[in-house]
Amino acid sequence: MSSVRPWRDIERRQSRQIMVGNVPVGGDAPISVQTMTNTPTEDVAATIDQIRRCEDVGADIIRVSCPTEESTANFDKITRAANVPIVADIHFHYKRALEAADKGAACLRINPGNIGSSERVAEVVRAAKANGCAIRIGVNAGSLEKDLLEKYGEPCPEALIESALDHIKLLQDHDFHEYKVAVKASDVFLAVAAYHGLADAVDCPLHLGITEAGGLIGGTVKSSIGIGSLLWAGIGDTIRVSLSAEPEQEVKVGFEMLKALGLRTRGVRVVSCPSCSRQGFDVIRTVETLEKRLEHIKTPMSLSVLGCVVNGPGEARETDIGLTGGGSGKHMVYLSGVKDHHIESDDMLDHIVKLVEEKAAAIEAGEATAFDPHAEAAE
């Protein structure tokens, strides 16, 4: 049966599936959202506290850096406290990988070629197999091997892909296949081209990211262009939005990206206008407040907030709950796309929050479903 809205369809690249702890990555599994802690891993309490905040906003997988022996000394306390799989980030020292694997890491982020001899790679693979760990090969344009830089003259898609294939071979030579791969760069064009080339060359899951993307606004824009274009092309099985911002923000941006493409649904999807002099209430402040007050809602549903009746009614007809600005401090509320009642400005925020919470509770209880204005057409 053909899609009702083929212009919205995304045909995902077929990849084999691996498990990162209890989270499937690849195949037909939902695209998972990752982030990374920035607390000193040696500070177990601070790291667990940050992990908890990331879990609360929906992180599926969380990475923790393990550069020193001290950072892995109490790593088991972190993995036991976490409710999501923990990835141990290992750069050069293979012993950190062995320690993290023994202490509950669900995945090891390494470049096999960086940790020494074939014997050391074999040790890491044995530890991963013994502990049920996956491995994430992390190729980065900023740390390409010297021989590849000499061969190609600069970081380029071919160099990133060759590096990834070399690292993959090291694992395959030891009969290890539970791996995913990233070929990240801060240059959007370089990263996207490398991912497209790698997607054609391998069948393993791909971890997407535009590395060192920048601050919250600039990094979000760069990541949305890079990661978003790859996801739209069907490439990518798990993502990390790399921002110079708190890790909770990375998770939020990642989910918004997936929600915009219809690849994941979590929480309230807000449709709102940029505001203008026609607005019947302060749209910008209203949306800021509602987004903050509705962060605890995990149930997928939609809310439209528009300041006037130009586009307001049309958008409200497409959402679970709609708010359209009117005159004299009186505004129209839509429920499931239909005009329902008016609300005064002074009561507006509390009223909309209450409506969203009630609808979310009804959906969770099986007493209601999220509004789909196109359901009849789909039938």
Side-chain angles (χ1 to χ4, degrees):
M1 180 178 172
S2 61
S3 172
V4 175
R5 298 183 293 279
W7 38 271
R8 291 191 60 187
D9 292 346
I10 293 176
E11 185 177 346
R12 286 182 62 187
R13 161 184 171 268
Q14 292 298 305
S15 62
R16 57 187 175 81
Q17 190 173 101
I18 67 169
M19 296 298 295
V20 177
N22 61 357
V23 175
V25 175
D28 59 357
I31 296 167
S32 52
V33 178
Q34 303 190 27
T35 188
M36 187 173 183
T37 58
N38 57 31
T39 54
T41 307
E42 296 83 356
D43 189 338
V44 172
T47 301
I48 292 172
D49 183 60
Q50 192 170 72
I51 287 171
R52 198 70 71 232
R53 295 198 302 273
C54 294
E55 291 172 342
D56 287 343
V57 295
D60 298 300
I61 300 169
I62 297 174
R63 181 156 46 115
V64 174
S65 184
C66 296
T68 64
E69 188 173 356
E70 291 74 24
S71 66
T72 56
N74 293 303
F75 194 69
D76 52 336
K77 294 181 180 177
I78 294 171
T79 56
R80 285 200 304 267
N83 297 311
V84 299
I86 298 298
V87 178
D89 191 274
I90 313 296
H91 284 282
F92 302 110
H93 209 302
Y94 80 104
K95 285 189 176 180
R96 303 294 84 80
L98 305 181
E99 294 157 0
D102 286 341
K103 293 193 173 185
C107 181
L108 306 172
R109 186 275 189 197
I110 62 170
N111 281 349
N114 288 352
I115 60 176
S117 64
S118 178
E119 290 75 19
R120 288 183 175 180
V121 174
E123 279 196 62
V124 172
V125 167
R126 279 195 294 271
K129 286 182 176 180
N131 292 281
C133 284
I135 288 177
R136 199 259 279 184
I137 294 170
V139 175
N140 194 307
S143 55
L144 273 173
E145 295 91 329
K146 185 178 178 182
D147 63 316
L148 290 175
L149 287 175
E150 290 175 352
K151 177 179 178 179
Y152 290 100
E154 64 175 0
C156 62
E158 294 78 12
L160 268 68
I161 294 167
E162 185 170 333
S163 176
L165 295 177
D166 288 345
H167 291 305
I168 286 171
K169 186 175 186 304
L170 287 173
L171 294 184
Q172 290 180 333
D173 286 346
H174 293 284
D175 194 30
F176 190 86
H177 307 282
E178 298 302 301
Y179 58 82
K180 52 194 171 108
V181 184
V183 280
K184 296 185 179 182
S186 60
D187 181 303
V188 173
F189 298 95
L190 173 56
V192 170
Y195 275 112
H196 274 279
L198 187 63
D200 291 336
V202 298
D203 70 344
C204 63
L206 298 183
H207 170 103
L208 302 188
I210 304 299
T211 194
E212 290 97 34
L216 182 57
I217 294 177
T220 293
V221 171
K222 281 181 68 176
S223 296
S224 297
I225 293 170
I227 298 175
S229 69
L230 289 165
L231 291 171
W232 202 337
I235 296 170
D237 303 287
T238 184
I239 66 173
R240 189 256 173 122
V241 180
S242 299
L243 302 175
S244 299
E246 293 305 318
E248 303 97 299
Q249 298 295 338
E250 295 186 347
V251 178
K252 292 176 184 178
V253 172
F255 264 103
E256 289 300 323
M257 205 179 293
L258 293 174
K259 284 159 67 175
L261 290 169
L263 293 168
R264 287 284 295 271
T265 54
R266 183 186 191 276
V268 182
R269 177 177 61 86
V270 178
V271 177
S272 61
C273 67
S275 81
C276 69
S277 61
R278 294 191 304 263
Q279 64 184 355
F281 55 85
D282 188 335
V283 172
I284 293 173
R285 248 54 64 184
T286 297
V287 171
E288 285 177 351
T289 303
L290 286 172
E291 285 183 333
K292 190 172 293 292
R293 291 185 61 179
L294 296 173
E295 278 187 344
H296 65 290
I297 302 293
K298 299 177 175 60
T299 309
M301 57 183 299
S302 53
L303 167 68
S304 55
V305 181
L306 288 100
C308 76
V309 296
V310 174
N311 291 323
E315 296 292 353
R317 284 194 290 269
E318 301 282 316
T319 55
D320 286 284
I321 295 164
L323 175 66
T324 299
S328 303
K330 186 176 286 189
H331 317 294
M332 178 59 71
V333 175
Y334 291 71
L335 300 180
S336 297
V338 178
K339 280 184 182 181
D340 195 83
H341 58 275
H342 287 93
I343 186 70
E344 302 283 345
S345 292
D346 291 345
D347 305 318
M348 182 176 68
L349 287 170
D350 289 341
H351 184 68
I352 295 299
V353 170
K354 182 172 181 286
L355 289 175
V356 171
E357 290 177 337
E358 288 176 346
K359 180 67 179 279
I363 293 171
E364 292 300 317
E367 299 166 358
T369 58
F371 178 57
D372 181 359
H374 307 287
E376 189 174 324
E379 292 173 3

